[in-house]
């Protein structure tokens, strides 16, 4: 596991306890630094290398592989050959350089959605942190050419939204989120709108189809990797809690009860938790689930959606098989499979600690089941893996573990960090914007001021973004988006280097042969060969010739 709080080689540190991804278990929007993802949002690809060049040497401390995790997979390098070169490039060493690695990919059934690199966001839904920093997330994703997901309940919790006859007729927050992304969309990436039980009841699909047509992908949701009881948010207003209860949500404690209202008035109850409902509680068999799912897909197609996806959580093997088979048979464009362990701030902690299948185990079985379908002549839906991804090496491993079925890695918390950081910096440099952009700092911490005192000095990708949008438009780009472009630049360069190391000059060439297992238990769980078994017989032939 990536469990060092301090990385002296990179000059980074975790404020709290690090998770397997390298992020802190609790990631704060007001954090002054400086984990690897946080710092890469400022310096970009420079963070790929040890600090203080010319004064140092460095050695890896990743030497003990215990148990089964993505850290127990290693990347296989080769000493000769090259594959996947773009048209016009030769096998000459002058062409086989890592900047020439092509990270463009696509996903979809009949309509291919193009992306500039194999990443997408997790679902950014009704949690307030997603709403507050949406501009940074959306503009950053549009500029980098990756899909962004509007998560569940965004319409239902919007106090400015309006409903008539039980169906949504006005949805300003949803409109805001879609419009901001589409303003900078250039043909790469996509905006995906997710539906849960309440969204389906409220007519969100009908609203999106009527106003935006097929420019959005619509996504059905079966669950997520943080919890198994539906999405939650916390509100501190009694009136808002009553509004949510009247919208049909489960609100806990019940704000309509007199004793709860009295406790709130006295201050012993200070907040309310809004919960979504479980899906498919009225169904009792796999066949019934399939029938209902196919009806839902048919209905969405009747509304005009040609691109439909499914998000499923870290359930057991039966549900995993159902998701892969049903999504494949229905001709869906994408299935996102979310492993256990992470959320955006309102998942019950001990549930998150113990709920569901850890990512590597779930993803290994997803490959096994997808391959079983493929070898029996069935089409397999394009997959995305989520659950604990933050750095380029883990992204590579996830793509390789699920190849050729996995087209993207879904990143949740990690992709939000540059949004927080950029907003905090913008709030300091432009105090008049601080409240509007939800900046948390009144001055630059030393971890930032050591790098500079202006946006041009602080963000390594500032001028790259400026070149893309133009000088005039640069004034409208949130600093959080510039930070995201900077962080993504580091991931891009890191992925290109790893792919060049395995002699693959297109990300679409990645395969399971490009990784190996560092212990036998990981081999048993994933089907990935142990590192000393790979090419062992070939090696002996070389020696004995």
């Amino acid at each position: 596991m990536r469990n060092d709080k301090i990385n002296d080689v990179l000059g980074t540190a975790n404020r709290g306890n690090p998770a397997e991804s390298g992020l802190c278990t609790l990631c704060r929007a007001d954090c002054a630094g400086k984990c690897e993802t946080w710092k890469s949002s400022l310096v970009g690809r420079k963070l790929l290398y040890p600090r203080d060049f010319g004064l140092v040497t460095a050695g890896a401390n990743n030497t003990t592989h215990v148990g089964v995790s993505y850290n127990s997979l290693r990347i296989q390098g080769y000493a000769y050959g090259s594959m996947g070169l773009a048209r016009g490039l030769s096998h000459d060493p002058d062409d086989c350089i890592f900047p020439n690695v092509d990270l463009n990919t696509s996903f979809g059934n009949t309509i291919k959605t193009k992306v500039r690199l194999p990443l997408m966001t997790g679902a950014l839904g009704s949690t307030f942190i997603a709403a507050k920093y949406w501009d940074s997330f959306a503009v950053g994703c549009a500029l980098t050419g990756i899909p962004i997901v509007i998560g569940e309940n965004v319409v239902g919790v919007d106090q400015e939204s309006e409903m008539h006859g039980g169906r949504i007729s006005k949805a300003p927050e949803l409109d805001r989120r879609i419009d901001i992304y589409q303003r900078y969309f250039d043909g790469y990436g996509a905006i995906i709108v997710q539906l849960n039980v309440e969204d389906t009841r409220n007519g969100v699909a009908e609203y999106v189809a009527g106003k935006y047509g097929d420019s959005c992908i619509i996504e059905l949701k079966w669950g997520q990797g943080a919890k198994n009881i539906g999405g939650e948010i916390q509100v501190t207003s009694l009136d808002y809690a009553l509004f949510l209860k009247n919208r049909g949500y489960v609100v806990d404690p019940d704000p309509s009860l007199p004793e709860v209202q009295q406790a709130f008035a006295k201050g012993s109850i200070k907040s309310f938790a809004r919960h979504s409902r479980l899906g498919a509680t009225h169904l009792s068999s796999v066949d019934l689930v399939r029938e209902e799912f196919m009806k839902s897909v048919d209905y969405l197609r009747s509304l005009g959606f040609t691109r439909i996806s499914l998000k499923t959580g870290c359930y057991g093997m039966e549900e995993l098989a159902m998701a892969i088979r049903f999504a494949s048979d229905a001709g869906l464009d994408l299935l996102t499979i979310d492993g256990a362990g992470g959320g955006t701030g309102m998942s019950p902690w001990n549930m998150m600690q113990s709920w569901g299948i850890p990512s590597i185990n779930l993803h290994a079985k997803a490959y096994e089941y997808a391959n079983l379908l493929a070898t029996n002549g069935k089409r397999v839906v394009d997959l995305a893996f989520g659950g604990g991804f933050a750095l380029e090496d883990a992204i590579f491993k996830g793509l390789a573990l699920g190849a050729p079925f996995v087209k993207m890695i879904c990143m949740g918390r990690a992709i939000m960090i540059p949004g927080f950081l950029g907003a905090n910096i913008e709030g300091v440099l432009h105090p008049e914007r601080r409240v509007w952009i939800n900046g948390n700092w009144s001055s630059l911490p030393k971890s930032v001021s050591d790098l500079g005192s202006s946006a041009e000095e602080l963000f390594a990708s500032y001028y790259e973004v400026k070149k893309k949008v133009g000088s005039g438009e640069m004034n409208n780009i949130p600093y959080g988006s510039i930070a995201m472009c900077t962080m993504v630049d580091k991931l891009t360069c890191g992925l290109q280097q790893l792919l060049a190391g395995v002699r693959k000059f297109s990300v679409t060439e990645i395969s399971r042969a490009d990784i190996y297992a560092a212990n036998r238990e990981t081999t048993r769980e994933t089907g990935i060969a142990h590192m000393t078994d790979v090419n062992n017989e070939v090696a002996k032939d070389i020696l004995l010739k």
Side-chain angles (χ1 to χ4, degrees), residues 121 124-125 127-144 146 148-150 154 172-185 191 415-424 426 433-439 465 469 473-485:
T121 74
L124 302 168
T127 55
F128 298 144
I129 201 162
K132 288 194 294 186
Y133 299 99
W134 178 263
D135 289 23
S136 291
F137 303 150
V139 175
C141 286
L143 292 177
T144 53
I146 64 177
I148 191 168
V149 183
I150 299 176
V154 168
E173 175 61 15
L174 180 65
D175 291 340
R176 179 183 80 88
R177 296 197 188 193
I178 294 174
D179 292 344
I180 289 169
Y181 183 84
Q182 290 187 340
R183 187 181 308 160
Y184 297 97
F185 174 69
I191 191 148
I415 217 162
M416 302 172 77
I417 290 172
F420 306 153
L421 174 58
N424 290 335
E426 187 170 359
R433 304 178 195 168
R434 187 177 304 155
V435 173
W436 179 67
I437 63 172
N438 297 287
V465 175
V469 303
E473 188 61 27
M474 199 64 183
N475 296 326
N476 298 320
I477 303 299
Y479 285 12
S481 301
I482 305 172
M484 182 182 290
C485 292

Side-chain angles (χ1 to χ4, degrees), residues 470-507:
S471 298
E473 188 61 27
M474 199 64 183
N475 296 326
N476 298 320
I477 303 299
Y479 285 12
S481 301
I482 305 172
M484 182 182 290
C485 292
T486 307
M487 188 267 282
V488 169
D489 176 68
K490 181 257 191 181
L491 296 178
T492 296
C493 183
L495 273 174
Q496 287 177 317
Q497 291 176 345
L498 291 170
L499 280 158
V502 298
R503 309 295 175 121
K504 304 288 179 68
F505 287 85
S506 171
V507 71

Side-chain angles (χ1 to χ4, degrees), residues 9 74 136 189 194-195 260 278 324 346 442 457 484-485 532:
V9 171
R74 295 187 68 86
S136 291
Q194 197 177 81
L195 307 174
V260 171
L278 295 170
I324 295 172
M346 190 49 190
S442 57
E457 291 176 305
M484 182 182 290
C485 292
T532 58

Side-chain angles (χ1 to χ4, degrees), residues 105 381-385 398-409 510:
T105 188
V381 63
D382 287 341
L383 303 180
F385 282 170
L399 293 170
L401 181 64
F405 310 109
V406 172
K407 308 302 180 184
M408 291 183 296
I409 294 301
I510 202 167

